């Protein structure tokens, strides 16, 4: 992804005074269909993965990222893919994860190999980052429709909704992998879901991608509206099954993707709206990218109009540079990609001369004196420059990375640091010869 370098050098010149996320929030791959989950003080973001160069919704796996500050996101890789479901053949499309009883349930739509229809499967894990396993060995429910969303109401009753072109729900049992009764179709009335123009077969605005939750006793159905291009709209109800009342547009049609998909959470006293667009170079309707905005509800519980931005959400708190940080914790990266590490988790790889990674809002306090980094190189290695506030900013240290005899043959290198005080964005700028230089697994400053 070296094509990002020129674009990001321009964006760097216009950084706002307050540390903010840059949208899209993942730059190493194309991501779509965001599904955020708040758990144990952290935001976990579950996404689909659009393959490079796709000319259709070519998707084979799901990905997980997490953050504690809404700016620096850690890549946890792909703990779920089509091969997890022995009965699935294609289309790892939009899903959602929920936690209950210490387990994490991921509801996803895939093509059932036996029937050729879209079906909803469910995977389960003991950790929000997986690995996930097929909970049933068969579809949970199947009627050819897609885009599941799930939530547990205050009384403990769980609901699973899904649909395109219709809208359905079932009442999940407490085991989260079975349900009582049959699927119930929600009436798509114009009062409940707005009026669509020019399509007598689909008179309402509801298209797909429902996202259901409850806040202050009001139930929200946020959804992708109309087609195509889609915008994001919402309806509300006094209960989880309706009756629904259409409330209007949240995010107007914009961006370079003709689809969109909402995800809404509250975290650390703020409200956040996730969506996708085609904003990365090479992006479009089949090569999408996830983004986020912070917003505030109106006094009546309604949404304001939320527009797509490149600046994203403000940072919540700061990053601690004196604890081990994964190298794949990234606010923005230029040229790099990630891969599974033989030491567990992920590492940053495919590093070439001039590539860099930025982490935002590192709180150095009185100052750092050294940096340790876990590195590996199958070639001759290179250098990791530590710069402040810009790719060409103040140089406060340089770590030499040696050849280690393999891309997963890890060693820890150290280098002195001088001048890193206060709170700064940190740029790890990689230099050396031609081709791939080295991999980085983690880093940690010493005070």
């Amino acid at each position: 992804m070296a094509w990002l370098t020129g674009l990001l050098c321009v964006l760097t010149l216009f950084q706002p005074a307050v540390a903010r996320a840059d949208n899209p929030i993942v730059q190493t791959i194309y991501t779509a269909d965001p599904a955020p989950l708040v758990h144990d003080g952290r935001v976990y973001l579950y996404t689909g993965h659009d393959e490079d160069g796709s000319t259709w919704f070519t998707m084979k796996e799901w990905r997980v990222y997490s953050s504690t500050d809404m700016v620096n996101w850690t890549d946890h890789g792909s703990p779920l893919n089509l091969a997890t479901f022995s009965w699935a053949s294609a289309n790892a499309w939009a899903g959602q994860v929920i936690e209950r009883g210490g387990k994490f349930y991921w509801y996803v739509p895939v093509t059932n190999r036996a029937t050729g229809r879209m079906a909803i499967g469910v995977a389960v894990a003991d950790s929000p980052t997986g690995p996930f396993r097929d909970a049933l060995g068969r579809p949970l429910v199947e009627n050819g429709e897609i885009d599941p969303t799930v939530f547990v109401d205050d009384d403990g009753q769980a609901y699973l909704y899904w649909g395109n072109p219709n809208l359905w729900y079932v009442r999940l049992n407490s085991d989260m992998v079975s349900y009582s009764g049959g699927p119930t179709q929600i009436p798509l009335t114009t009062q409940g879901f707005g009026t669509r123009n020019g399509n007598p077969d689909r008179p309402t605005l509801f298209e797909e991608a429902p996202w259901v939750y409850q806040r202050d006793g009001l139930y929200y159905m946020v959804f992708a509206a109309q087609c195509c291009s889609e915008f994001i709209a919402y309806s509300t109800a006094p209960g989880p099954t309706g009756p629904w009342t259409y409330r209007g547009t949240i995010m107007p049609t914009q961006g370079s993707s003709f689809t969109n998909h909402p995800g809404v959470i509250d975290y650390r006293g703020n409200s956040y709206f996730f969506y996708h667009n085609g904003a990365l170079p090479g992006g479009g309707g089949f090569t999408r990218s996830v983004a986020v905005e912070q917003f505030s509800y109106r006094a009546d519980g309604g949404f304001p109009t939320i527009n797509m931005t490149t600046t994203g959400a403000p940072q919540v708190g700061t990053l601690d540079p004196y604890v081990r940080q994964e190298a794949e914790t990234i606010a923005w990266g230029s040229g790099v990609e990630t891969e599974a590490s033989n030491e567990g988790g992920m590492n940053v790889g495919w590093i070439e001369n001039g590539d860099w990674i930025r982490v935002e809002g590192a709180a150095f306090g009185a100052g750092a004196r050294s940096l340790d980094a876990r590195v590996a190189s199958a070639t001759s290695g290179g250098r990791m420059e530590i710069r402040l506030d810009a790719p060409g900013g103040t140089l406060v240290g340089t770590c030499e990375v040696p050849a280690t005899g393999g891309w997963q043959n890890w060693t820890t290198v150290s280098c002195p640091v001088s001048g890193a005080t206060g709170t700064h964005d940190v740029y790890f700028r990689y230099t050396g010869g031609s081709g791939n230089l080295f991999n980085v697994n983690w880093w940690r400053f010493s005070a």
Side-chain angles (χ1 to χ4, degrees):
M1 296 210 177
W3 32 260
L4 285 175
T5 303
L7 170 66
L8 269 298
C9 286
V10 173
L11 290 178
T12 301
L13 298 175
F14 299 98
Q15 288 185 359
V18 176
R20 304 180 72 92
D22 280 314
N23 281 329
I25 59 178
V26 176
Q27 309 88 42
T28 52
I29 61 171
Y30 296 114
T31 55
D33 304 323
L37 169 71
V38 177
H39 175 72
D40 198 20
R42 196 171 187 92
V43 176
Y44 292 88
L45 177 62
Y46 301 86
T47 77
H49 174 199
D50 287 340
E51 297 291 327
D52 289 359
S54 290
T55 56
W56 179 244
F57 301 109
T58 306
M59 307 172 76
K60 304 174 183 178
E61 64 178 10
W62 297 268
R63 307 280 296 206
V64 185
Y65 303 84
S66 72
S67 179
T68 57
D69 62 12
M70 300 303 294
V71 169
N72 299 297
W73 291 88
T74 301
D75 185 347
H76 298 284
S78 174
L80 182 67
N81 58 51
L82 286 174
T84 305
F85 302 100
S86 61
W87 49 271
S89 61
N91 299 326
W93 288 356
Q96 186 181 351
V97 174
I98 195 168
E99 183 271 338
R100 189 168 196 179
K103 293 188 179 296
F104 298 83
Y105 299 89
W106 201 337
Y107 301 87
V108 293
V110 293
T111 299
N112 185 344
R113 179 181 290 106
T115 64
R117 298 195 307 170
M118 293 301 296
I120 309 300
V122 56
V124 64
D126 299 320
S127 160
T129 58
F132 285 80
R133 60 193 181 275
D134 186 354
L136 293 173
R138 55 175 172 78
L140 171 63
V141 65
E142 178 178 347
N143 63 4
E145 302 196 36
I146 60 173
D147 290 359
T149 183
V150 61
F151 93 105
V152 179
D153 207 352
D154 291 342
D155 63 1
Q157 178 62 60
Y159 297 84
L160 179 73
Y161 306 77
W162 74 101
N164 178 343
N166 302 298
L167 181 56
W168 305 81
Y169 76 89
V170 293
R171 288 180 169 88
L172 293 172
N173 295 325
S174 59
D175 64 7
M176 302 299 284
V177 296
S178 63
Y179 54 88
S180 299
T184 299
Q185 188 170 350
I186 296 174
L188 292 177
T189 65
T190 55
Q191 180 181 357
F193 296 92
T195 302
R196 183 185 304 228
N197 296 323
N199 188 341
D201 295 329
R202 297 187 73 166
T204 76
L205 291 172
F206 179 83
E207 182 69 24
E208 59 186 353
W211 183 270
V212 178
Y213 65 102
Q214 184 261 119
R215 180 180 181 272
D216 294 339
L218 189 63
Y219 293 78
Y220 292 77
M221 172 82 69
V222 184
F223 58 92
Q226 198 117 343
C227 186
C228 292
S229 296
E230 295 174 346
F231 62 95
I232 302 299
Y234 75 113
S235 303
T236 59
T241 62
W244 298 97
T245 300
Y246 181 66
R247 297 289 297 274
T249 298
I250 300 173
M251 177 170 280
T253 300
Q254 52 193 272
S256 54
S257 169
F258 58 86
T259 66
N260 204 342
H261 187 291
V264 184
I265 57 168
D266 287 340
Y267 177 64
R268 295 181 67 175
N270 302 302
S271 298
Y272 296 93
F273 183 86
F274 290 80
Y275 59 96
H276 69 226
N277 57 27
L280 284 181
F286 303 117
T287 43
R288 299 160 292 179
S289 295
V290 168
V292 64
E293 310 292 345
Q294 184 180 307
F295 74 97
S296 296
Y297 289 91
R298 299 196 308 256
D300 64 355
F303 276 88
T305 299
I306 302 173
N307 290 302
M308 299 181 184
T309 74
T310 58
T311 53
Q315 186 172 20
V316 181
T318 56
L319 179 138
D320 185 353
Y322 300 120
V323 300
R324 170 174 158 165
Q325 298 285 352
E326 298 301 313
E328 62 276 11
T329 297
I330 301 171
W332 197 284
S334 174
V336 301
E337 298 182 35
T338 62
E339 65 180 352
S341 168
N342 67 357
E343 293 191 323
M346 305 288 284
N347 65 257
V348 172
W350 290 275
I351 294 171
E352 297 180 301
N353 182 57
D355 292 347
W356 51 263
I357 284 173
R358 181 177 80 239
V359 293
E360 289 202 16
F364 288 107
R369 61 180 173 84
S370 64
L371 174 77
D372 293 338
R374 190 72 167 164
V375 297
S377 177
T379 56
S380 58
R383 293 173 298 281
M384 185 165 67
E385 298 178 352
I386 308 158
R387 296 183 177 269
L388 302 182
D389 301 322
T394 302
L395 180 66
V396 297
T398 301
C399 283
E400 298 287 338
V401 178
T404 65
W407 296 117
Q408 297 290 316
N409 291 346
W410 299 98
T411 189
T412 303
V413 298
S414 300
C415 58
V417 174
S418 177
T421 61
T423 299
H424 291 274
D425 295 349
V426 178
Y427 285 75
F428 296 103
R429 186 173 183 269
Y430 310 113
T431 62
S434 61
N436 294 329
L437 303 178
F438 53 88
N439 293 347
V440 186
N441 193 2
W442 53 260
W443 55 265
R444 179 179 56 236
F445 286 89
S446 295

